[in-house]
């Protein structure tokens, strides 16, 4: 499918190349990629005290509640005394703000939005552990007036399901229970909130219930330039998210390949290869973190699902699995892939050809970088799917 924004960007790069040369065009591409990586997304998480705001913030960021350094503090008492930013560990441009409960002494309902600096946030998630209260409705009404998006999340659904199963025994019906909870919440909001949507979420089990529907809704309703920022920061709670992440990362490869080609225009033997290797190390490390396959992310996942780390790692089959991404590792893998290696060798050799050497080297550099990064991305996306299936499974039954 054609992307008008990408077509426009490519036209600008082409014009810069023709007008100001390779170095200027490469600088333009780098600026564009940096802008993509630094799109700011601020998500406000609010609701009454004890609703599970902090646990949701931690789960979204892939941080355990027990992580004393980075986790939002949780507890049965009101633990959020101020509005506190919690940047995503791998994508610091995405920040979740743990807001104090509305209606507390320091944050009365009628002054709440002003006190928490309303304009800062791209959208609000209003969380409740049971029915949404009067203060939640008042907040939603004020957000509506300000023309910003908000979403109701009914938290701790796994607790409700457990309690209902214990109470009803053989008469328990999971789907009916979820339907009853959702309808009960919606009925309490009708008449004051336009077309209320309520998402049922268990923060410790985001792969179940409505979190996938919530993230899909957020992506659809966010401005286009912020969708990738959200997507890449999302936890891997479904195969669909992993595939979408792969597609988003894949769309950027052509820009990196063009930069590689422009670098190959410099008539210095070995310089382009060295630059490409440095770029690949940085890019593949980003892929690894995005898919949650870096060492720290895998350790957190193992702790969360209570499975041995070695058991989760065992399903990863790519040569990148379990290894620190380095120049030596990349060269070793490329050596086993003769197509990529031969293209890189041909690129360096082509520089010796009179007149046509540099253009040929540029073309080969583009192809080798494009094919190599796609190969590494495929490897990691496949490993991510295997890890997801091993850790969480595909069973969404309640």
């Amino acid at each position: 499918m054609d992307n008008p924004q990408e077509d426009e960007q490519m036209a600008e790069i082409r014009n810069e190349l023709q007008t100001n040369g390779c170095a200027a065009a490469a600088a333009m591409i780098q600026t564009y990629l940096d802008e993509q990586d630094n799109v700011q997304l601020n998500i406000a998480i609010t609701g009454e005290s004890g609703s599970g705001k902090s646990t949701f913030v931690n789960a979204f960021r892939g941080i355990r509640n027990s992580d004393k350094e980075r986790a939002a503090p949780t507890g049965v008492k009101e633990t959020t005394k101020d509005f506190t930013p919690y940047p995503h560990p791998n994508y610091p441009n995405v920040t979740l703000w743990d807001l104090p409960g509305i209606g507390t002494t320091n944050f009365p309902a009628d002054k709440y939005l002003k006190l928490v600096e309303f304009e800062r946030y791209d959208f609000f998630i209003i969380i409740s552990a049971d029915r949404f209260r009067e203060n939640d409705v008042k907040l939603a009404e004020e957000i509506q007036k300000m023309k910003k998006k908000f979403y109701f999340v009914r938290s701790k659904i796994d607790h409700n399901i457990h309690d209902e199963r214990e109470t009803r025994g053989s008469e328990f019906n999971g789907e009916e229970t979820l339907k009853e909870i959702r309808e009960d919440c919606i009925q309490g909001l009708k008449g004051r909130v336009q077309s209320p949507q309520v998402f049922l979420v268990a923060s410790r089990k985001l792969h179940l219930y409505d979190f996938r529907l919530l993230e899909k809704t957020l992506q659809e309703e966010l401005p286009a330039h912020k969708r990738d920022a959200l997507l890449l920061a999302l936890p891997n709670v479904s195969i669909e998210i992993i595939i979408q992440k792969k597609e988003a990362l894949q769309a950027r490869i052509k820009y990196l390949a063009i930069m590689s080609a422009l670098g190959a225009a410099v008539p210095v033997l070995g310089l382009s290869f060295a630059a490409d290797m440095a770029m690949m190390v940085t890019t593949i490390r980003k892929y690894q973190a995005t898919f949650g396959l870096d060492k720290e992310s895998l350790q957190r996942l193992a702790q969360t699902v209570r499975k041995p780390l070695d058991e989760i790692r065992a399903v990863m089959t790519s040569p990148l699995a379990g290894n620190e991404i380095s120049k030596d590792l990349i060269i070793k893998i490329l050596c086993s892939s003769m197509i990529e290696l031969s293209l890189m060798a041909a690129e360096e050799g082509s520089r010796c050809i009179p007149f046509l050497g540099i253009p040929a080297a540029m073309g080969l550099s583009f192809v080798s970088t494009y094919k190599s990064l796609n190969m590494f991305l495929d490897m990691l996306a496949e490993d991510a799917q295997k890890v997801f299936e091993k850790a969480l499974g595909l069973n969404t039954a309640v």
Side-chain angles (χ1 to χ4, degrees):
M1 183 181 295
D2 291 337
N3 185 324
Q5 185 177 1
E6 286 192 0
D7 291 343
E8 182 179 345
Q9 185 64 41
M10 283 296 183
E12 291 179 2
I13 293 168
R14 190 180 302 112
N15 181 64
E16 186 71 12
L17 175 62
Q18 294 170 347
T19 305
N20 297 312
C22 292
M28 173 179 278
I29 295 173
Q30 188 61 61
T31 299
Y32 170 73
L33 293 175
D34 289 344
E35 288 173 352
Q36 294 293 302
D37 288 338
N38 290 293
V39 171
Q40 296 298 308
L41 183 64
N42 291 291
I43 305 170
I45 311 297
T46 187
E48 291 190 339
S49 60
S51 61
K53 304 187 305 293
S54 298
T55 298
F56 182 88
V57 168
N58 295 336
F60 188 102
R61 297 161 59 239
I63 302 294
R64 289 174 59 81
N65 288 343
S66 57
D67 188 331
K68 294 182 180 180
E69 292 186 5
R70 295 179 298 176
T74 60
V76 293
K77 297 181 179 180
E78 174 59 52
T79 55
T80 307
K81 302 299 183 183
D82 205 346
F83 46 109
T84 309
Y86 291 96
H88 190 279
N90 296 327
Y91 285 90
N93 55 307
V94 177
T95 302
L96 279 77
W97 292 79
D98 190 5
L99 305 188
I102 184 173
T104 59
T105 303
N106 293 330
F107 291 86
D110 59 337
K111 298 180 180 178
Y112 187 81
L113 289 178
K114 181 178 180 180
L115 290 171
V116 300
E117 300 179 10
F118 170 85
E119 291 299 331
R120 182 198 307 267
Y121 313 107
D122 291 284
F123 58 85
F124 286 73
I125 293 178
I126 304 172
I127 297 182
S128 176
D130 42 59
R131 292 185 179 182
F132 291 94
R133 310 292 183 182
E134 179 66 16
N135 282 336
D136 297 321
V137 176
K138 285 182 179 178
L139 176 58
E141 289 177 324
E142 290 304 311
I143 298 173
Q144 275 183 165
K145 292 177 185 176
M146 302 292 186
K147 307 296 183 184
K148 283 208 175 185
K149 295 289 185 179
F150 60 91
Y151 307 90
F152 290 102
V153 166
R154 173 68 160 72
S155 65
K156 305 181 183 180
I157 291 299
D158 50 335
H159 296 177
N160 299 121
I161 291 296
H162 176 269
D163 292 344
E164 285 295 308
R165 183 180 282 113
E166 290 290 313
T167 301
R168 298 189 184 184
S170 60
E171 296 181 0
F172 170 76
N173 183 305
E175 292 299 329
E176 283 298 318
T177 299
L178 293 175
K179 183 178 179 181
E180 289 171 8
I181 294 172
R182 187 180 289 106
E183 286 300 317
D184 183 53
C185 290
I186 290 174
Q187 286 302 320
L189 298 169
K190 278 185 175 178
R192 298 178 64 180
V193 179
Q194 297 173 8
S195 305
Q197 289 187 80
V198 176
F199 300 91
L200 311 183
V201 171
S203 293
R204 291 184 175 87
K205 300 177 181 178
L206 290 180
H207 61 294
L208 298 178
Y209 315 115
D210 289 347
F211 184 78
R212 281 175 288 179
L213 179 59
L214 173 63
E215 59 86 9
K216 183 178 180 181
T217 303
L218 295 177
Q219 285 190 69
E220 289 174 349
E221 297 187 355
L222 270 174
H225 69 289
K226 298 208 174 194
R227 289 172 191 163
D228 277 1
L230 173 69
L231 172 63
L232 297 177
L234 285 171
N236 292 343
V237 297
S238 70
I239 296 294
E240 183 180 7
I241 286 180
I242 294 171
I243 293 172
Q244 289 176 345
K245 286 184 177 183
K246 177 184 175 182
E247 291 172 349
L249 294 170
Q250 204 164 33
R252 301 183 184 186
I253 289 178
K254 59 178 172 289
Y255 295 104
L256 296 169
I258 293 171
M259 284 185 66
S260 173
L262 294 172
V266 180
V268 178
L269 197 65
L271 181 62
S272 175
F273 178 79
D276 286 348
M277 287 299 103
M279 178 271 290
M280 283 192 187
V281 168
T282 300
T283 302
I284 296 167
R285 283 177 180 169
K286 182 181 293 185
Y287 293 170
Q288 194 180 49
T290 300
F291 288 123
L293 298 177
D294 55 295
K295 182 178 180 181
E296 188 178 2
S297 296
L298 288 172
Q299 287 176 334
R300 288 198 302 264
L301 176 62
Q303 292 171 344
T304 299
V305 300
R306 298 178 182 178
K307 290 186 178 181
L309 178 58
D310 289 343
E311 188 177 317
I312 291 176
R313 279 179 169 167
V315 301
M316 300 165 64
T317 57
S318 82
L320 295 169
N323 292 308
E324 181 71 25
I325 304 300
S326 66
K327 174 183 173 182
D328 290 341
L329 176 62
I330 292 172
I331 292 174
K332 180 180 177 181
I333 296 172
L334 290 175
C335 284
S336 66
S337 176
M338 296 308 296
I339 295 176
E340 280 75 12
L341 185 63
S342 61
L343 284 169
M344 288 183 173
E347 176 196 336
E348 292 302 319
S350 66
R351 296 178 191 281
C352 302
I353 302 173
F355 304 112
L356 299 178
I358 295 302
M362 292 176 68
L364 289 168
S365 184
F366 176 91
V367 174
S368 62
T369 300
Y370 188 85
K371 289 176 67 66
S372 296
L373 286 177
N374 270 289
M375 179 183 71
F376 288 120
L377 182 59
D378 287 343
M379 288 178 181
L380 289 169
E382 186 176 339
D383 275 346
Q385 291 190 36
K386 291 175 180 177
V387 166
F388 171 78
E389 291 171 359
K390 179 66 178 179
L392 302 176
L394 296 176
N395 180 18
T396 58
V398 296

